[in-house]
Amino acid sequence: MPVTRRETLALGAAAAVALAARPALARAEVDALLKEFTGGRPTRSDGLSLDVPLTADNPNAVPVAVKLAERFSDSLWCEEILIIADRNPRPAVCRFRFERRMGLADVAIRVRLAESQSVIALARMSDGSVLMQSKPVTVAGGGCGM
């Protein structure tokens, strides 16, 4: 059964609406991730370092390193680190969980970025506090497919 011109135009309009709504949906998912991870508590940035390049020549393998400045103690340690790429189709890039016996939170990965965006690192501490760092990354080439 052939597709009519009217049906083709309707499909094109629906696709345009879906593409226009995608950033809003991604932002809502990022907001939900942040709320879930922080529990609504305020964040601070001291003690957490996030190392990402300003420009990603290869968006398929962008190096990201997150490190907690202090070693773990019996009274305070990092329980979890969450890395978010705020404009990726799936913003939650990865989670790392730690135990006090590990002694230090220091992770490095390579992520795929869909487009120029911010990379966000969050660290939840054993006392309930949350550390956060965010850095923008400019993508030079084509990233992951949508």
Side-chain angles (χ1 to χ4, degrees), residues 79-131:
E79 293 180 337
E80 186 174 16
I81 288 178
L82 171 64
I83 299 175
I84 298 171
D86 70 352
R87 294 185 61 112
N88 268 9
R90 293 186 180 163
V93 174
C94 63
R95 287 180 187 253
F96 297 93
R97 292 195 171 95
F98 303 91
E99 292 183 13
R100 180 182 49 202
R101 296 176 293 173
M102 297 174 92
L104 183 65
D106 185 0
V107 297
I109 61 168
R110 293 190 178 267
V111 301
R112 177 183 262 187
L113 298 180
E115 58 188 89
S116 297
Q117 60 189 291
S118 291
V119 174
I120 304 165
L122 297 121
R124 184 182 312 119
M125 305 303 288
S126 60
D127 66 355
S129 63
V130 179
L131 309 177

Short mmCIF file of all heavy atoms in Angstrom, two decimals, residues 79-131:
data_model
loop_
_atom_site.label_atom_id
_atom_site.label_comp_id
_atom_site.label_asym_id
_atom_site.label_seq_id
_atom_site.Cartn_x
_atom_site.Cartn_y
_atom_site.Cartn_z
N GLU A 79 31.19 6.50 49.17
CA GLU A 79 30.38 5.31 48.94
C GLU A 79 30.15 5.05 47.45
O GLU A 79 30.10 3.90 47.02
CB GLU A 79 29.03 5.44 49.64
CG GLU A 79 29.15 5.45 51.15
CD GLU A 79 27.80 5.59 51.83
OE1 GLU A 79 26.85 6.11 51.21
OE2 GLU A 79 27.71 5.18 53.00
N GLU A 80 29.99 6.15 46.68
CA GLU A 80 29.63 5.97 45.27
C GLU A 80 30.00 7.20 44.46
O GLU A 80 29.90 8.33 44.93
CB GLU A 80 28.12 5.73 45.17
CG GLU A 80 27.62 5.38 43.81
CD GLU A 80 26.14 5.02 43.81
OE1 GLU A 80 25.43 5.31 44.78
OE2 GLU A 80 25.72 4.43 42.80
N ILE A 81 30.43 6.97 43.22
CA ILE A 81 30.67 8.04 42.25
C ILE A 81 29.76 7.79 41.06
O ILE A 81 29.65 6.66 40.58
CB ILE A 81 32.15 8.09 41.81
CG1 ILE A 81 33.02 8.63 42.94
CG2 ILE A 81 32.31 8.95 40.56
CD1 ILE A 81 34.50 8.68 42.63
N LEU A 82 29.11 8.85 40.58
CA LEU A 82 28.23 8.80 39.41
C LEU A 82 28.76 9.79 38.39
O LEU A 82 29.04 10.94 38.74
CB LEU A 82 26.79 9.16 39.79
CG LEU A 82 25.79 9.35 38.65
CD1 LEU A 82 25.58 8.05 37.88
CD2 LEU A 82 24.47 9.88 39.18
N ILE A 83 28.91 9.35 37.13
CA ILE A 83 29.34 10.24 36.05
C ILE A 83 28.17 10.38 35.07
O ILE A 83 27.59 9.38 34.65
CB ILE A 83 30.59 9.69 35.35
CG1 ILE A 83 31.74 9.59 36.36
CG2 ILE A 83 30.98 10.58 34.16
CD1 ILE A 83 32.99 8.95 35.82
N ILE A 84 27.86 11.64 34.74
CA ILE A 84 26.74 11.97 33.87
C ILE A 84 27.23 12.78 32.68
O ILE A 84 28.01 13.72 32.85
CB ILE A 84 25.67 12.78 34.63
CG1 ILE A 84 25.11 11.98 35.80
CG2 ILE A 84 24.57 13.25 33.71
CD1 ILE A 84 24.21 12.80 36.72
N ALA A 85 26.77 12.44 31.48
CA ALA A 85 26.97 13.25 30.28
C ALA A 85 25.60 13.84 29.95
O ALA A 85 24.71 13.13 29.48
CB ALA A 85 27.51 12.41 29.13
N ASP A 86 25.41 15.12 30.23
CA ASP A 86 24.06 15.68 30.30
C ASP A 86 23.28 15.78 29.00
O ASP A 86 22.07 15.98 29.02
CB ASP A 86 24.06 17.01 31.04
CG ASP A 86 24.72 18.14 30.27
OD1 ASP A 86 25.32 17.90 29.21
OD2 ASP A 86 24.64 19.28 30.76
N ARG A 87 23.92 15.60 27.85
CA ARG A 87 23.17 15.66 26.59
C ARG A 87 23.25 14.35 25.80
O ARG A 87 22.86 14.31 24.64
CB ARG A 87 23.66 16.83 25.75
CG ARG A 87 23.34 18.17 26.43
CD ARG A 87 23.71 19.33 25.55
NE ARG A 87 22.94 19.27 24.31
CZ ARG A 87 22.01 20.13 23.95
NH1 ARG A 87 21.71 21.12 24.74
NH2 ARG A 87 21.38 20.01 22.81
N ASN A 88 23.75 13.31 26.42
CA ASN A 88 23.76 12.00 25.77
C ASN A 88 22.36 11.40 25.80
O ASN A 88 21.56 11.74 26.67
CB ASN A 88 24.72 11.05 26.48
CG ASN A 88 26.11 11.08 25.87
OD1 ASN A 88 26.43 11.90 25.03
ND2 ASN A 88 26.94 10.16 26.32
N PRO A 89 22.05 10.49 24.87
CA PRO A 89 20.74 9.85 24.90
C PRO A 89 20.47 9.13 26.22
O PRO A 89 19.35 9.08 26.69
CB PRO A 89 20.79 8.85 23.73
CG PRO A 89 21.85 9.39 22.83
CD PRO A 89 22.83 10.09 23.70
N ARG A 90 21.51 8.57 26.80
CA ARG A 90 21.44 7.96 28.14
C ARG A 90 22.46 8.67 29.01
O ARG A 90 23.65 8.33 29.01
CB ARG A 90 21.74 6.47 28.08
CG ARG A 90 20.68 5.72 27.33
CD ARG A 90 20.90 4.25 27.40
NE ARG A 90 19.84 3.58 26.65
CZ ARG A 90 19.92 2.35 26.25
NH1 ARG A 90 20.99 1.64 26.51
NH2 ARG A 90 18.92 1.81 25.60
N PRO A 91 22.03 9.67 29.77
CA PRO A 91 22.97 10.53 30.50
C PRO A 91 23.80 9.84 31.57
O PRO A 91 24.93 10.25 31.82
CB PRO A 91 22.07 11.60 31.13
CG PRO A 91 20.76 11.49 30.48
CD PRO A 91 20.65 10.13 29.90
N ALA A 92 23.28 8.82 32.23
CA ALA A 92 24.05 8.14 33.28
C ALA A 92 25.12 7.29 32.62
O ALA A 92 24.85 6.22 32.09
CB ALA A 92 23.13 7.29 34.15
N VAL A 93 26.36 7.77 32.65
CA VAL A 93 27.45 7.08 31.97
C VAL A 93 27.87 5.85 32.77
O VAL A 93 27.96 4.76 32.23
CB VAL A 93 28.65 8.03 31.75
CG1 VAL A 93 29.84 7.29 31.19
CG2 VAL A 93 28.25 9.18 30.83
N CYS A 94 28.17 6.03 34.05
CA CYS A 94 28.56 4.89 34.88
C CYS A 94 28.51 5.25 36.36
O CYS A 94 28.48 6.42 36.73
CB CYS A 94 29.94 4.37 34.51
SG CYS A 94 31.23 5.56 34.79
N ARG A 95 28.49 4.20 37.18
CA ARG A 95 28.52 4.32 38.64
C ARG A 95 29.64 3.45 39.16
O ARG A 95 29.82 2.33 38.69
CB ARG A 95 27.22 3.84 39.27
CG ARG A 95 26.04 4.75 39.08
CD ARG A 95 24.81 4.14 39.76
NE ARG A 95 23.64 4.91 39.45
CZ ARG A 95 23.02 5.71 40.32
NH1 ARG A 95 23.46 5.82 41.54
NH2 ARG A 95 21.96 6.39 39.97
N PHE A 96 30.34 3.96 40.15
CA PHE A 96 31.37 3.20 40.85
C PHE A 96 31.00 3.16 42.32
O PHE A 96 30.69 4.21 42.90
CB PHE A 96 32.75 3.85 40.70
CG PHE A 96 33.24 3.92 39.28
CD1 PHE A 96 33.00 5.04 38.51
CD2 PHE A 96 33.95 2.86 38.74
CE1 PHE A 96 33.46 5.11 37.21
CE2 PHE A 96 34.40 2.92 37.43
CZ PHE A 96 34.17 4.04 36.66
N ARG A 97 31.04 1.99 42.92
CA ARG A 97 30.74 1.86 44.35
C ARG A 97 32.02 1.47 45.08
O ARG A 97 32.82 0.69 44.56
CB ARG A 97 29.65 0.83 44.58
CG ARG A 97 28.32 1.33 44.03
CD ARG A 97 27.14 0.55 44.54
NE ARG A 97 25.91 1.20 44.16
CZ ARG A 97 25.21 0.89 43.08
NH1 ARG A 97 25.62 -0.04 42.28
NH2 ARG A 97 24.08 1.53 42.82
N PHE A 98 32.19 2.02 46.28
CA PHE A 98 33.41 1.82 47.05
C PHE A 98 33.08 1.32 48.45
O PHE A 98 31.99 1.55 48.96
CB PHE A 98 34.20 3.13 47.17
CG PHE A 98 34.56 3.74 45.85
CD1 PHE A 98 33.72 4.65 45.24
CD2 PHE A 98 35.73 3.39 45.22
CE1 PHE A 98 34.05 5.21 44.01
CE2 PHE A 98 36.07 3.93 43.98
CZ PHE A 98 35.23 4.85 43.39
N GLU A 99 34.06 0.69 49.05
CA GLU A 99 34.00 0.33 50.46
C GLU A 99 35.12 1.05 51.19
O GLU A 99 36.13 1.42 50.58
CB GLU A 99 34.17 -1.19 50.62
CG GLU A 99 33.02 -1.99 50.08
CD GLU A 99 33.19 -3.47 50.33
OE1 GLU A 99 34.08 -3.84 51.13
OE2 GLU A 99 32.45 -4.24 49.73
N ARG A 100 34.97 1.22 52.47
CA ARG A 100 35.96 1.93 53.28
C ARG A 100 37.34 1.29 53.13
O ARG A 100 38.35 1.98 53.08
CB ARG A 100 35.51 1.93 54.74
CG ARG A 100 36.46 2.63 55.67
CD ARG A 100 36.01 2.55 57.08
NE ARG A 100 35.68 1.15 57.39
CZ ARG A 100 34.88 0.78 58.36
NH1 ARG A 100 34.33 1.66 59.14
NH2 ARG A 100 34.63 -0.48 58.57
N ARG A 101 37.40 -0.04 53.03
CA ARG A 101 38.68 -0.74 52.95
C ARG A 101 39.45 -0.43 51.67
O ARG A 101 40.65 -0.70 51.59
CB ARG A 101 38.46 -2.24 53.03
CG ARG A 101 37.88 -2.69 54.34
CD ARG A 101 37.60 -4.16 54.31
NE ARG A 101 36.52 -4.38 53.34
CZ ARG A 101 36.09 -5.56 52.95
NH1 ARG A 101 36.64 -6.65 53.41
NH2 ARG A 101 35.11 -5.68 52.08
N MET A 102 38.81 0.16 50.67
CA MET A 102 39.48 0.45 49.40
C MET A 102 40.50 1.57 49.55
O MET A 102 41.43 1.66 48.76
CB MET A 102 38.46 0.75 48.31
CG MET A 102 37.57 -0.45 48.03
SD MET A 102 36.26 -0.11 46.88
CE MET A 102 37.04 -0.55 45.36
N GLY A 103 40.28 2.48 50.49
CA GLY A 103 41.27 3.49 50.80
C GLY A 103 41.26 4.76 49.97
O GLY A 103 41.64 5.82 50.46
N LEU A 104 40.83 4.70 48.71
CA LEU A 104 40.89 5.88 47.85
C LEU A 104 39.89 5.74 46.71
O LEU A 104 39.69 4.65 46.18
CB LEU A 104 42.31 6.01 47.27
CG LEU A 104 42.61 7.21 46.40
CD1 LEU A 104 42.53 8.50 47.20
CD2 LEU A 104 44.00 7.09 45.79
N ALA A 105 39.29 6.85 46.33
CA ALA A 105 38.39 6.87 45.17
C ALA A 105 39.12 7.58 44.03
O ALA A 105 39.34 8.80 44.08
CB ALA A 105 37.09 7.60 45.50
N ASP A 106 39.53 6.81 43.04
CA ASP A 106 40.28 7.33 41.90
C ASP A 106 39.92 6.47 40.70
O ASP A 106 40.33 5.31 40.62
CB ASP A 106 41.78 7.27 42.19
CG ASP A 106 42.62 7.91 41.09
OD1 ASP A 106 42.06 8.40 40.10
OD2 ASP A 106 43.85 7.90 41.24
N VAL A 107 39.11 7.00 39.77
CA VAL A 107 38.64 6.23 38.62
C VAL A 107 38.92 6.97 37.33
O VAL A 107 38.97 8.20 37.29
CB VAL A 107 37.12 5.92 38.73
CG1 VAL A 107 36.84 5.06 39.93
CG2 VAL A 107 36.30 7.18 38.77
N ALA A 108 39.12 6.20 36.26
CA ALA A 108 39.34 6.76 34.93
C ALA A 108 38.65 5.87 33.91
O ALA A 108 38.77 4.65 33.97
CB ALA A 108 40.83 6.87 34.63
N ILE A 109 37.92 6.50 33.02
CA ILE A 109 37.20 5.77 31.97
C ILE A 109 37.27 6.57 30.68
O ILE A 109 37.74 7.72 30.66
CB ILE A 109 35.72 5.53 32.35
CG1 ILE A 109 34.99 6.88 32.54
CG2 ILE A 109 35.59 4.67 33.57
CD1 ILE A 109 33.49 6.74 32.62
N ARG A 110 36.79 5.98 29.62
CA ARG A 110 36.57 6.69 28.36
C ARG A 110 35.09 6.60 28.04
O ARG A 110 34.50 5.54 28.15
CB ARG A 110 37.41 6.08 27.24
CG ARG A 110 38.88 6.29 27.46
CD ARG A 110 39.69 5.91 26.25
NE ARG A 110 41.09 6.16 26.49
CZ ARG A 110 41.72 7.29 26.17
NH1 ARG A 110 41.05 8.26 25.57
NH2 ARG A 110 43.00 7.45 26.41
N VAL A 111 34.51 7.74 27.68
CA VAL A 111 33.07 7.78 27.41
C VAL A 111 32.81 8.24 25.98
O VAL A 111 33.65 8.91 25.37
CB VAL A 111 32.32 8.71 28.40
CG1 VAL A 111 32.51 8.25 29.82
CG2 VAL A 111 32.76 10.15 28.25
N ARG A 112 31.66 7.89 25.49
CA ARG A 112 31.23 8.34 24.17
C ARG A 112 30.28 9.51 24.37
O ARG A 112 29.31 9.41 25.13
CB ARG A 112 30.51 7.20 23.46
CG ARG A 112 29.96 7.58 22.11
CD ARG A 112 29.22 6.42 21.53
NE ARG A 112 30.11 5.75 20.61
CZ ARG A 112 29.74 4.77 19.82
NH1 ARG A 112 28.52 4.31 19.86
NH2 ARG A 112 30.59 4.22 18.99
N LEU A 113 30.55 10.62 23.69
CA LEU A 113 29.71 11.81 23.81
C LEU A 113 28.98 12.05 22.50
O LEU A 113 29.58 12.05 21.43
CB LEU A 113 30.55 13.03 24.18
CG LEU A 113 31.27 12.97 25.52
CD1 LEU A 113 32.07 14.24 25.76
CD2 LEU A 113 30.30 12.74 26.66
N ALA A 114 27.69 12.29 22.60
CA ALA A 114 26.85 12.49 21.42
C ALA A 114 27.08 13.86 20.78
O ALA A 114 26.98 14.00 19.58
CB ALA A 114 25.38 12.34 21.80
N GLU A 115 27.40 14.85 21.61
CA GLU A 115 27.58 16.23 21.13
C GLU A 115 28.30 17.03 22.21
O GLU A 115 28.59 16.51 23.28
CB GLU A 115 26.21 16.85 20.83
CG GLU A 115 25.28 16.86 22.03
CD GLU A 115 23.88 17.31 21.66
OE1 GLU A 115 23.06 16.47 21.29
OE2 GLU A 115 23.63 18.53 21.75
N SER A 116 28.59 18.28 21.93
CA SER A 116 29.21 19.14 22.94
C SER A 116 28.26 19.26 24.13
O SER A 116 27.06 19.44 23.96
CB SER A 116 29.49 20.53 22.36
OG SER A 116 30.43 20.41 21.31
N GLN A 117 28.81 19.12 25.34
CA GLN A 117 27.97 19.08 26.54
C GLN A 117 28.83 19.19 27.78
O GLN A 117 30.04 19.33 27.69
CB GLN A 117 27.20 17.76 26.57
CG GLN A 117 28.09 16.53 26.59
CD GLN A 117 27.30 15.26 26.39
OE1 GLN A 117 26.54 14.90 27.27
NE2 GLN A 117 27.46 14.61 25.25
N SER A 118 28.19 19.08 28.92
CA SER A 118 28.90 19.07 30.19
C SER A 118 28.98 17.65 30.72
O SER A 118 28.03 16.87 30.58
CB SER A 118 28.19 19.94 31.23
OG SER A 118 28.29 21.29 30.88
N VAL A 119 30.11 17.33 31.31
CA VAL A 119 30.29 16.06 32.02
C VAL A 119 30.22 16.40 33.50
O VAL A 119 30.87 17.34 33.97
CB VAL A 119 31.62 15.39 31.66
CG1 VAL A 119 31.85 14.15 32.51
CG2 VAL A 119 31.64 15.03 30.18
N ILE A 120 29.42 15.66 34.24
CA ILE A 120 29.19 15.92 35.67
C ILE A 120 29.65 14.71 36.46
O ILE A 120 29.34 13.58 36.11
CB ILE A 120 27.69 16.18 35.94
CG1 ILE A 120 27.16 17.31 35.07
CG2 ILE A 120 27.45 16.46 37.42
CD1 ILE A 120 25.65 17.39 35.00
N ALA A 121 30.41 14.97 37.53
CA ALA A 121 30.82 13.90 38.44
C ALA A 121 30.25 14.20 39.82
O ALA A 121 30.36 15.32 40.31
CB ALA A 121 32.34 13.80 38.51
N LEU A 122 29.65 13.20 40.43
CA LEU A 122 29.10 13.32 41.79
C LEU A 122 29.70 12.22 42.66
O LEU A 122 29.88 11.09 42.19
CB LEU A 122 27.59 13.17 41.78
CG LEU A 122 26.83 14.23 41.01
CD1 LEU A 122 26.02 13.60 39.92
CD2 LEU A 122 25.96 15.01 41.94
N ALA A 123 30.00 12.56 43.90
CA ALA A 123 30.51 11.59 44.86
C ALA A 123 29.68 11.68 46.13
O ALA A 123 29.55 12.75 46.72
CB ALA A 123 31.98 11.85 45.17
N ARG A 124 29.09 10.53 46.53
CA ARG A 124 28.31 10.49 47.76
C ARG A 124 29.22 9.94 48.86
O ARG A 124 29.79 8.87 48.73
CB ARG A 124 27.08 9.60 47.63
CG ARG A 124 26.22 9.64 48.90
CD ARG A 124 24.99 8.74 48.86
NE ARG A 124 24.20 8.88 47.66
CZ ARG A 124 23.98 7.88 46.80
NH1 ARG A 124 24.49 6.70 46.99
NH2 ARG A 124 23.23 8.07 45.75
N MET A 125 29.32 10.72 49.95
CA MET A 125 30.19 10.35 51.06
C MET A 125 29.40 9.57 52.11
O MET A 125 28.17 9.62 52.15
CB MET A 125 30.82 11.60 51.66
CG MET A 125 31.56 12.47 50.65
SD MET A 125 32.85 11.60 49.77
CE MET A 125 34.05 11.44 51.07
N SER A 126 30.12 8.90 53.00
CA SER A 126 29.48 8.06 54.02
C SER A 126 28.66 8.87 55.02
O SER A 126 27.74 8.34 55.63
CB SER A 126 30.54 7.25 54.76
OG SER A 126 31.47 8.11 55.39
N ASP A 127 28.95 10.16 55.16
CA ASP A 127 28.17 11.00 56.08
C ASP A 127 26.94 11.61 55.41
O ASP A 127 26.23 12.41 56.01
CB ASP A 127 29.05 12.09 56.69
CG ASP A 127 29.55 13.11 55.67
OD1 ASP A 127 29.30 12.93 54.46
OD2 ASP A 127 30.21 14.08 56.08
N GLY A 128 26.68 11.25 54.15
CA GLY A 128 25.51 11.74 53.43
C GLY A 128 25.77 12.97 52.58
O GLY A 128 24.93 13.35 51.77
N SER A 129 26.93 13.60 52.73
CA SER A 129 27.23 14.78 51.91
C SER A 129 27.53 14.34 50.48
O SER A 129 27.91 13.20 50.22
CB SER A 129 28.42 15.55 52.50
OG SER A 129 29.58 14.75 52.48
N VAL A 130 27.35 15.28 49.53
CA VAL A 130 27.57 14.98 48.12
C VAL A 130 28.49 16.05 47.54
O VAL A 130 28.27 17.24 47.71
CB VAL A 130 26.24 14.96 47.34
CG1 VAL A 130 26.49 14.68 45.86
CG2 VAL A 130 25.30 13.91 47.91
N LEU A 131 29.53 15.58 46.84
CA LEU A 131 30.46 16.46 46.15
C LEU A 131 30.11 16.43 44.67
O LEU A 131 29.70 15.39 44.14
CB LEU A 131 31.90 15.99 46.34
CG LEU A 131 32.35 15.71 47.77
CD1 LEU A 131 33.77 15.17 47.78
CD2 LEU A 131 32.24 16.95 48.63
#
